[in-house]
Amino acid sequence: MDSAVEFLMSYEKLSDDQIGKAANVLADRYRKSGNIRDLHNFLDHSDPRVVALGAWIIAECGNLSGSDYLKEQLCRLLDRPDSGVRLEAARALAQFAANDSSVVCRIMELLSDENDGVRHIATLHLCLFPDEYFKTHDHDEYRVIVKEFATKARIMELASSDHNVERSLAYVSALRNFGDDNEFLATVLDLLPDFIKRHVAVLPRNRRFQ
């Protein structure tokens, strides 16, 4: 482990400004080199703040091909009790979604997370993922996100569900596929719980990439 990594691993001794600067330096280094394997040292750390920081750096690197071990570590972090760890792990794990449908499923499961921030990160990524990420799923409530399966009737049905994951998916689908129909979005929104409504203003519309 080099001096920069060791510097960040001494997290409790650093000021917020030092942490931010060092984290950005490391993220830039790993983006350029493409070699992020030794970041597992962060994810294995006993301090959840260090773990969350490591996951943040991974998310910032973007290109994570060939990093299956890190992907497995990040999946395990989604079960950690610390919400900051789960949030940053979700951001990092989303980088693997293009090549692994199980990652998309894990992101969907976070729609029922007890933490508002974690739910928002999951919702945001589900608004942004391309349609092909969802086409391999057998569950109709998941495929409603995809343009060819998204109907207003199906969205309204899921929005009226007793399950919050289905209700969240309904609004994600409405935003992705009917983002210009403000009247329909308002109708769907009226059926949803407050924790979904809180983030509506910052969620993207019509970000369905082909």
Side-chain angles (χ1 to χ4, degrees):
M1 190 163 32
D2 64 26
S3 58
V5 175
E6 290 177 342
F7 180 64
L8 268 179
M9 295 284 275
S10 61
Y11 197 112
E12 66 278 359
K13 302 176 184 178
L14 306 179
S15 69
D16 288 344
D17 185 56
Q18 287 176 309
I19 293 166
K21 288 180 179 178
N24 280 308
V25 168
L26 270 183
D28 186 57
R29 177 189 302 178
Y30 286 118
R31 272 195 297 267
K32 291 177 179 177
S33 70
N35 179 20
I36 60 173
R37 287 186 58 83
D38 61 348
L39 282 171
H40 71 83
N41 291 307
F42 287 86
L43 305 187
D44 286 333
H45 200 274
S46 59
D47 188 333
R49 297 171 300 172
V50 175
V51 177
L53 186 60
W56 178 85
I57 293 173
I58 292 172
E60 291 297 304
C61 288
N63 181 12
L64 302 177
S65 57
S67 306
D68 287 347
Y69 179 64
L70 286 178
K71 178 176 67 177
E72 293 170 3
Q73 280 186 295
L74 291 167
C75 283
R76 291 194 293 271
L77 293 180
L78 296 181
D79 298 321
R80 292 279 289 267
D82 187 274
S83 60
V85 169
R86 296 198 306 278
L87 188 151
E88 296 300 342
R91 289 184 66 248
L93 194 59
Q95 307 299 319
F96 293 92
N99 301 310
D100 192 337
S101 60
S102 67
V103 168
V104 179
C105 285
R106 291 307 306 269
I107 299 295
M108 287 180 176
E109 290 170 3
L110 294 177
L111 292 174
S112 62
D113 193 275
E114 64 183 22
N115 181 266
D116 191 49
V118 175
R119 292 193 302 268
H120 173 59
I121 287 295
T123 305
L124 177 63
H125 283 297
L126 292 174
C127 284
L128 295 173
F129 285 158
D131 273 5
E132 59 262 28
Y133 287 20
F134 304 98
K135 290 183 177 180
T136 58
H137 294 287
D138 296 327
H139 301 292
D140 182 49
E141 61 269 24
Y142 289 178
R143 293 194 299 170
V144 73
I145 291 177
V146 181
K147 181 181 180 180
E148 63 190 273
F149 300 107
T151 66
K152 289 184 177 181
R154 182 58 178 146
I155 290 172
M156 291 296 291
E157 181 183 350
L158 289 178
S160 302
S161 169
D162 293 330
H163 302 287
N164 283 332
V165 169
E166 294 184 359
R167 297 164 85 181
S168 295
L169 287 174
Y171 200 66
V172 168
S173 181
L175 286 169
R176 288 172 64 94
N177 299 291
F178 302 99
D180 295 327
D181 191 335
N182 290 324
E183 183 177 352
F184 177 63
L185 291 177
T187 301
V188 176
L189 194 62
D190 283 343
L191 298 173
L192 303 181
D194 288 342
F195 77 81
I196 298 177
K197 295 179 181 179
R198 278 198 290 271
H199 297 296
V200 167
V202 294
L203 290 175
R205 300 185 183 192
N206 292 339
R207 294 300 298 274
R208 185 181 62 251
F209 303 125
Q210 302 300 333

